């Protein structure tokens, strides 16, 4: 199980998802949990793309077998439903791994927690960098008119 | 063979690529040609994401078997190299189909040209709309600082 916001897709997302999938054995199934708009807003920033569209795009990415929206109230609800063998944390996600493991064990959930290290470097390798690039780019006046 | 800019990925891209692939028979192979930065700049607008990153992201999308950058000077060069059975034109691409067919025939290229109709509707179903949304969104001052 992998998780994230997936606001604007970049190669780092593909890397994280493929590395997550590689941890599974034969008959591996990669399930992705996409963060809800309210969660993104409170933990990070206003999401550009809404949760349903982010979910749809995640489903288009090669290693993804299934994808769901997370719960608004309790991030462990979806873990209790999916019962993953492994939960992966993205290279740029700042979860406290020990806290997460403790909480899982408290709820009697046996998932292993693995931090994906390494990163796929690109000029715009985070949604945040893409947003900033757009904010800084001057488009010609009519370039964004007809859409 | 499908073509496009694929600047910022949205569900419409997945729809276009899947519909393109569906036109092929058994052993179908979907090859995508990604427009060069110079071509995008002269035909459309400044691309946000550079051609290499756009190519990488296109390769992450499920129906895509192979993807290449187009030629800077002659859009038919890649057709001569790949020899596709079918070339698909996206629902939002404003190619003159008859002109394209004439030019292919002049060069003795036997590809069928098919316009993909229909569209996958989403709130932000074009790169242009995503860019405009970002331009219009006010992010908190430190939201874009640490990336």
């Amino acid at each position: 199980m992998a998780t994230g916001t997936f606001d604007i897709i970049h190669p780092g997302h593909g890397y994280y998802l493929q590395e997550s999938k590689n941890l599974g054995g034969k008959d591996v199934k990669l399930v992705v949990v996409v963060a809800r708009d309210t969660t993104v807003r409170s933990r990070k920033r206003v999401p550009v793309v809404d949760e349903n569209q982010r979910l749809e795009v995640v489903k288009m990415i090669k290693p993804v077998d299934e994808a769901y929206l997370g719960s608004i109230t309790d991030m462990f609800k979806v873990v209790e439903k999916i019962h993953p063998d492994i939960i992966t944390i993205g290279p740029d996600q700042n979860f406290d791994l020990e806290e997460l493991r403790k909480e899982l064990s408290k709820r009697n959930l046996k998932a292993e927690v693995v931090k994906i290290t390494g990163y796929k470097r690109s000029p715009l390798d985070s949604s945040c960098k893409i947003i900033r690039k757009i904010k800084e780019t001057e488009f010609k006046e009519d370039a964004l008119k007809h859409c």
Side-chain angles (χ1 to χ4, degrees), chain A residues 68-134:
Chain A
Y68 304 98
L69 291 177
S71 156
I72 291 176
T73 50
D74 176 2
M75 59 177 277
F76 291 93
K77 249 190 196 157
V78 69
V79 182
E80 280 167 353
K81 210 176 106 190
I82 293 168
H83 271 287
D85 295 312
I86 304 173
I87 299 174
T88 60
I89 307 298
D92 58 342
Q93 289 174 344
N94 52 359
F95 276 109
D96 183 325
L97 267 69
E98 278 319 307
E99 274 304 309
L100 184 54
R101 285 184 186 119
K102 263 186 220 160
E103 190 61 34
L104 286 167
S105 143
K106 212 192 279 176
R107 292 172 184 237
N108 220 9
L109 292 162
K110 310 240 175 285
E112 189 187 339
V113 178
V114 178
K115 175 91 176 171
I116 301 294
T117 52
Y119 203 74
K120 177 84 186 168
R121 287 287 156 217
S122 319
L124 298 175
D125 51 11
S126 71
S127 301
C128 176
K129 285 183 188 167
I130 295 173
I131 293 170
R132 211 164 56 186
K133 168 94 185 277
I134 290 172

Side-chain angles (χ1 to χ4, degrees), chain A residues 4-145:
Chain A
T5 306
F6 306 96
D7 200 8
I8 295 181
I9 295 299
H10 56 80
H13 288 128
Y15 173 84
Y16 165 50
L17 295 173
Q18 189 56 56
E19 288 289 301
S20 298
K21 191 154 190 174
N22 292 349
L23 293 172
K26 205 174 141 293
D27 304 324
V28 56
K29 190 164 88 176
L30 176 64
V31 181
V32 181
V33 178
V34 174
R36 303 297 295 255
D37 288 343
T38 50
T39 313
V40 179
R41 223 174 272 124
S42 69
R43 290 181 52 121
K44 216 162 149 180
R45 58 168 160 70
V46 188
V48 172
V49 177
D50 78 34
E51 57 195 24
N52 292 311
Q53 184 167 334
R54 289 186 283 111
L55 177 66
E56 266 199 86
V57 170
V58 164
K59 285 180 180 170
M60 287 160 42
I61 303 176
K62 279 177 181 166
V64 179
D65 295 296
E66 293 175 17
Y68 304 98
L69 291 177
S71 156
I72 291 176
T73 50
D74 176 2
M75 59 177 277
F76 291 93
K77 249 190 196 157
V78 69
V79 182
E80 280 167 353
K81 210 176 106 190
I82 293 168
H83 271 287
D85 295 312
I86 304 173
I87 299 174
T88 60
I89 307 298
D92 58 342
Q93 289 174 344
N94 52 359
F95 276 109
D96 183 325
L97 267 69
E98 278 319 307
E99 274 304 309
L100 184 54
R101 285 184 186 119
K102 263 186 220 160
E103 190 61 34
L104 286 167
S105 143
K106 212 192 279 176
R107 292 172 184 237
N108 220 9
L109 292 162
K110 310 240 175 285
E112 189 187 339
V113 178
V114 178
K115 175 91 176 171
I116 301 294
T117 52
Y119 203 74
K120 177 84 186 168
R121 287 287 156 217
S122 319
L124 298 175
D125 51 11
S126 71
S127 301
C128 176
K129 285 183 188 167
I130 295 173
I131 293 170
R132 211 164 56 186
K133 168 94 185 277
I134 290 172
K135 282 289 193 194
E136 289 165 358
T137 302
E138 285 202 32
F139 297 93
K140 276 191 202 146
E141 215 201 310
D142 61 346
L144 306 177
K145 241 181 188 166

